Amino acid sequence: MKRIVSKGDAPYYYLKVLLEFEDKTMTVDVLTFRTVIMKAMMSMYGEIGAAVPIDILKYDVETMSAILRVAGSNMVKLWGALTMLSYYDEKPCAFRVEQVSPFLMALAASSRQLLLHTKE
Amino acid sequence: MRNSEKNKMARFCDFNVPYSENTENLRQIVEMAIKLGYESVALNCTVTPGTTKGQAVVPPPPKPVELSEATLAPFMVQGKAFQQLTRLTAIIETHEQKYKVNPNNSTITAYDILAVQPLNLKMFEAACKELEVDIISLDMTQKLPFFLRLTPIKRAIARGVHFEIVYAPAIRDSTLRRYVISNATDLMTFCKGKNIVLSSQAEKAIELRGPHDVANLGVLFGMNQAQAKDAVSINCRSALLHAETRGSAVGVISIERIMKQTPGVISVERIPSASTDKRALEKDSGEGQDREDPPGKKPKLVAKKKIK
């Protein structure tokens, strides 16, 4: 097993997020999902915020959940912008941030045990 | 509440769920709070105490929302209990209204938490310095009608009163968001992240955010990571405990006279000093009586002199 020692700020942070609409039947594809994030950053931090590089590593259309990667220095900004998002296209919605970690591996299991979008 | 105290460390609390007659909406909000990981919510009633008789009577505390077994299941698994509290927020503007918020009123003590929302500087200072409340809530969705000042805020922190920042208006609208951020950072320069409670005031379930998201918002408002986490967990708990002590701080002082004394006379036990060892004691009992000035007597004289 390889041991990783992190010193100082991590270069990247990984966020496991989930987009939720008040209207449960709504679904968005990955491009729209990206636009939603851009709009959130834009409304909170303007053009400079929108210029922050954010990568969508994985996106699941069915649950509208994704794993985002962002530079450690921009993590608080992104998280704040996602929290403050309330509408997309006049439709009420919310980002639920399930997990945040400097290591992608950590997203494999949840310590918070949030029971979000449990499939019936 | 007693049952759940074993899991008290990092319980996430939301102390501002506006109570409304719309039970369905309220239930949705509470269920969402559970889903997001909150372990304690407070149903909030906002009143403006009337200045004349028969106006705006304080309503009795709202009944807890009935929740189904299925919603409470995650708590059962972890051996925790979900807590529903009641909170009264009184909007105060005049002195008469201020006196209505006294903790001796039985309808007010029926609530778990008492908060005030002062509308002017005088009331704000009164709330910080003298009013027996747990939370001071400022309407941050508009430009504050007065300047915050360090002295009253410091006093409030010393008394264990908490300041509330509500975030749902900031989520609702971008204009309100600007005001909330500016007022919150303003408040933060004075209290330096201490004694802050972050709560939602969500009118819809979708406006609620998870406790960790709210803590991150606290970081945006200028707290550090630890303070921001405290603002959704430990500070709420201490506000609640402050509320409990407010109810129990009715004390009795009794003064009892222990013994009667005539002034100036004190009975002094003759204690042999360290130099007068065994030999001196023997002398004392036997032939030592002719000695004029035994060393043991000296303290007695000194003592008397001092009293005079």
Side-chain angles (χ1 to χ4, degrees):
Chain A
M1 209 160 81
K2 197 183 165 194
R3 190 174 148 188
I4 301 167
V5 179
S6 166
K7 284 179 183 165
D9 282 346
Y12 285 112
Y13 263 80
Y14 300 88
L15 292 93
K16 195 176 185 182
V17 299
L18 188 148
L19 182 60
E20 197 180 62
F21 281 92
E22 201 176 41
D23 174 17
K24 302 278 183 211
T25 54
M26 275 283 293
T27 49
V28 292
D29 62 352
V30 65
L31 284 174
T32 325
F33 189 81
R34 191 177 173 74
T35 320
V36 177
I37 294 173
M38 288 296 271
K39 284 229 166 121
M41 285 297 275
M42 187 78 159
S43 72
M44 194 76 178
Y45 295 102
E47 292 287 346
I48 294 179
V52 168
I54 300 158
D55 305 320
I56 300 173
L57 300 187
K58 199 180 179 192
Y59 179 67
D60 181 17
V61 187
E62 271 180 37
T63 54
M64 289 195 282
S65 57
I67 293 174
L68 308 179
R69 183 177 70 174
V70 70
S73 53
N74 291 322
M75 199 272 289
V76 173
K77 274 187 185 177
L78 174 65
W79 197 352
L82 293 182
T83 312
M84 283 299 190
L85 182 82
S86 55
Y87 285 97
Y88 178 71
D89 257 3
E90 311 279 305
K91 292 179 193 81
C93 63
F95 265 108
R96 308 291 181 207
V97 181
E98 287 190 64
Q99 269 176 291
V100 181
S101 171
F103 307 107
L104 189 55
M105 192 58 162
L107 303 188
S110 171
S111 61
R112 292 191 202 166
Q113 294 184 322
L114 278 174
L115 300 168
L116 286 161
H117 275 242
T118 42
K119 280 178 190 164
E120 274 111 51
Chain B
M1 121 129 255
R2 299 287 178 277
N3 295 338
S4 57
E5 274 197 341
K6 54 189 168 183
N7 304 309
K8 61 193 164 188
M9 280 326 286
R11 293 170 65 91
F12 289 118
C13 311
D14 185 353
F15 274 2
N16 198 340
V17 174
Y19 179 73
S20 61
E21 296 299 323
N22 187 350
T23 35
E24 180 54 32
N25 187 33
L26 193 63
R27 195 179 54 78
Q28 276 179 7
I29 295 175
V30 175
E31 277 179 3
M32 179 58 88
I34 293 172
K35 212 165 142 189
L36 290 172
Y38 289 100
E39 286 175 42
S40 173
V41 295
L43 304 176
N44 184 20
C45 283
T46 309
V47 291
T48 316
T51 43
T52 51
K53 267 185 186 176
Q55 195 188 343
V57 192
V58 176
K63 287 191 184 68
V65 182
E66 283 174 30
L67 297 161
S68 63
E69 289 272 317
T71 20
L72 293 172
F75 287 98
M76 296 298 174
V77 173
Q78 295 168 33
K80 293 175 181 172
F82 184 67
Q83 188 182 29
Q84 288 187 52
L85 303 160
T86 53
R87 165 183 155 174
L88 182 75
T89 307
I91 300 173
I92 52 168
E93 195 175 12
T94 60
H95 282 283
E96 288 102 301
Q97 288 175 335
K98 186 182 87 179
Y99 293 121
K100 288 260 164 46
V101 193
N102 63 339
N104 299 327
N105 190 331
S106 62
T107 26
I108 287 178
T109 45
Y111 284 87
D112 291 316
I113 304 158
L114 177 60
V116 285
Q117 188 180 320
L119 291 185
N120 49 38
L121 184 61
K122 257 192 183 149
M123 287 305 112
F124 177 69
E125 288 189 343
C128 287
K129 286 178 178 167
E130 54 198 70
L131 276 185
E132 281 294 322
V133 293
D134 313 311
I135 294 174
I136 297 172
S137 174
L138 295 168
D139 184 13
M140 295 199 172
T141 56
Q142 51 181 322
K143 199 166 182 293
L144 284 182
F146 50 86
F147 281 113
L148 295 173
R149 285 214 312 235
L150 183 61
T151 342
I153 291 174
K154 254 175 138 176
R155 184 85 190 89
I157 291 172
R159 289 171 63 222
V161 177
H162 289 74
F163 291 95
E164 184 187 43
I165 299 173
V166 290
Y167 65 82
I171 287 169
R172 222 173 286 147
D173 186 84
S174 81
T175 323
L176 301 183
R177 183 183 309 165
R178 270 172 233 151
Y179 281 119
V180 170
I181 292 173
S182 97
N183 288 328
T185 42
D186 201 19
L187 177 63
M188 220 57 77
T189 55
F190 292 111
C191 66
K192 299 188 180 62
K194 276 177 271 182
N195 283 43
I196 295 280
V197 169
L198 283 164
S199 53
S200 72
Q201 208 173 43
E203 282 162 10
K204 284 189 294 180
I206 201 87
E207 286 173 355
L208 220 58
R209 292 293 182 268
H212 297 275
D213 300 4
V214 178
N216 184 69
L217 273 188
V219 177
L220 278 182
F221 292 152
M223 297 187 231
N224 66 33
Q225 296 270 349
Q227 286 169 337
K229 203 187 166 209
D230 287 353
V232 277
S233 55
I234 293 168
N235 289 359
C236 295
R237 193 180 122 75
S238 58
L240 184 61
L241 289 180
H242 186 266
E244 277 185 25
T245 54
R246 183 161 44 80
S248 66
V250 187
V252 176
I253 298 173
S254 78
I255 300 168
E256 214 173 299
R257 183 163 289 182
I258 298 166
M259 60 191 251
K260 267 191 181 169
Q261 271 186 354
T262 24
V265 177
I266 292 178
S267 60
V268 180
E269 279 267 358
R270 210 183 125 196
I271 304 157
S273 62
S275 62
T276 56
D277 48 10
K278 256 187 180 175
R279 207 175 46 179
L281 279 173
E282 276 167 23
K283 274 180 188 170
D284 211 36
S285 57
E287 68 272 315
Q289 281 174 0
D290 53 330
R291 280 184 67 170
E292 278 183 5
D293 196 6
K297 270 195 175 174
K298 261 187 180 167
K300 193 180 174 182
L301 286 169
V302 174
K304 264 199 171 173
K305 261 187 186 170
K306 269 186 182 168
I307 288 160
K308 275 172 186 171

